[in-house]
Amino acid sequence: NAGVTQTPKFQVLKTGQSMTLQCAQDMNHNSMYWYRQDPGMGLRLIYYSASEGTTDKGEVPNGYNVSRLNKREFSLRLESAAPSQTSVYFCASSWTSGNTGELFFGEGSRLTVL
Amino acid sequence: GENVEQHPSTLSVQEGDSAVIKCTYSDSASNYFPWYKQELGKRPQLIIDIRSNVGEKKDQRIAVTLNKTAKHFSLHITETQPEDSAVYFCAATPNTGGFKTIFGAGTRLFVKA
């Protein structure tokens, strides 16, 4: 039982390049999330997927797209990376909505945009 | 939307002392308040949570209090130990749009042996 798995763990991009962060959970959770973590700013919600087939914007969605591929997988895509997107990205999942219980986080993906 | 403020940003205590971290939230519709601990280089993990129909909850050395009227909630750690050193995040989740858990900026706790 791996929980929430993210890939890659580290990535360096040049400005304008694109990339996709992958996330998979094996806990049969309905809801999945992408957060970014920056020093002094806590965890900010980028996008979430309440259930398979749905996605919605969070606090900071600009510059990102997401896909809920199936119940297990939720990917985050940067179409044209910018230095302001340098951050640590965390995927998370929960049984249903965030106010019904714990968010389970992945180990994080550290992205640097030069 | 919801806004969560967390204080202090850094807290240093002597081993065995107590530590208190305070948060305020803006949305009176928030009804679930979790606290997460993040050790250096690790993922955030839930340590305790409280719902709006409860004023206090305790789990061994940690406790959380909630004042709905003032929109304040706090984390209390007693008899601190070096392994309590980490970043702690408070969060609030609104009753409507319950997927949008909003986090505070975090408190870095140092426990000196």
Side-chain angles (χ1 to χ4, degrees):
Chain A
N1 189 344
V4 180
T5 304
Q6 294 179 230
T7 56
K9 288 185 170 48
F10 300 93
Q11 184 73 48
V12 179
L13 292 177
K14 294 181 180 178
T15 297
Q17 289 185 319
S18 62
M19 76 158 297
T20 300
L21 297 174
Q22 307 285 356
C23 176
Q25 51 91 10
D26 61 3
M27 295 176 283
N28 201 33
H29 286 170
N30 289 302
S31 305
M32 297 185 74
Y33 313 79
W34 278 105
Y35 283 88
R36 61 176 287 173
Q37 183 176 26
D38 303 292
M41 301 190 75
L43 295 148
R44 291 183 293 168
L45 182 63
I46 303 170
Y47 270 94
Y48 66 94
S49 172
S51 59
E52 186 179 355
T54 69
T55 61
D56 281 289
K57 296 178 180 179
E59 302 171 84
V60 289
N62 291 345
Y64 304 95
N65 286 299
V66 291
S67 295
R68 183 75 182 267
L69 304 170
N70 48 56
K71 189 172 185 178
R72 291 186 64 247
E73 298 173 288
F74 188 39
S75 63
L76 178 72
R77 183 161 178 83
L78 288 69
E79 291 290 353
S80 179
S84 61
Q85 294 177 304
T86 294
S87 188
V88 179
Y89 291 85
F90 285 96
C91 178
S93 68
S94 65
W95 287 109
T96 54
S97 62
N99 61 357
T100 59
E102 182 175 1
L103 293 175
F104 291 83
F105 286 89
E107 292 186 325
S109 299
R110 184 175 294 275
L111 174 65
T112 301
V113 183
L114 302 175
Chain B
E2 177 63 276
N3 182 53
V4 177
E5 294 192 356
Q6 182 172 349
H7 301 280
S9 56
T10 305
L11 179 60
S12 182
V13 300
Q14 205 67 36
E15 182 178 2
D17 288 350
S18 295
V20 180
I21 302 169
K22 297 182 179 182
C23 292
T24 60
Y25 62 99
S26 61
D27 189 347
S28 57
S30 289
N31 65 347
Y32 175 64
F33 306 91
W35 287 86
Y36 287 81
K37 175 183 180 182
Q38 185 180 29
E39 297 178 351
L40 189 62
K42 301 289 183 62
R43 72 189 82 192
Q45 292 187 292
L46 182 74
I47 55 170
I48 195 168
D49 56 14
I50 191 167
R51 298 191 181 277
S52 58
N53 58 348
V54 175
E56 184 173 359
K57 184 177 179 181
K58 191 173 182 179
D59 183 5
Q60 299 182 7
R61 295 187 298 107
I62 60 173
V64 58
T65 58
L66 172 65
N67 182 329
K68 283 175 53 181
T69 303
K71 298 182 190 169
H72 290 172
F73 58 115
S74 300
L75 178 72
H76 303 254
I77 306 174
T78 59
E79 300 172 18
T80 53
Q81 301 168 4
E83 53 264 37
D84 294 328
S85 296
V87 178
Y88 292 81
F89 293 98
C90 62
T93 307
N95 185 31
T96 54
F99 301 96
K100 293 186 177 180
T101 296
I102 303 300
F103 286 81
T107 296
R108 184 171 295 277
L109 175 65
F110 297 95
V111 180
K112 297 176 286 186

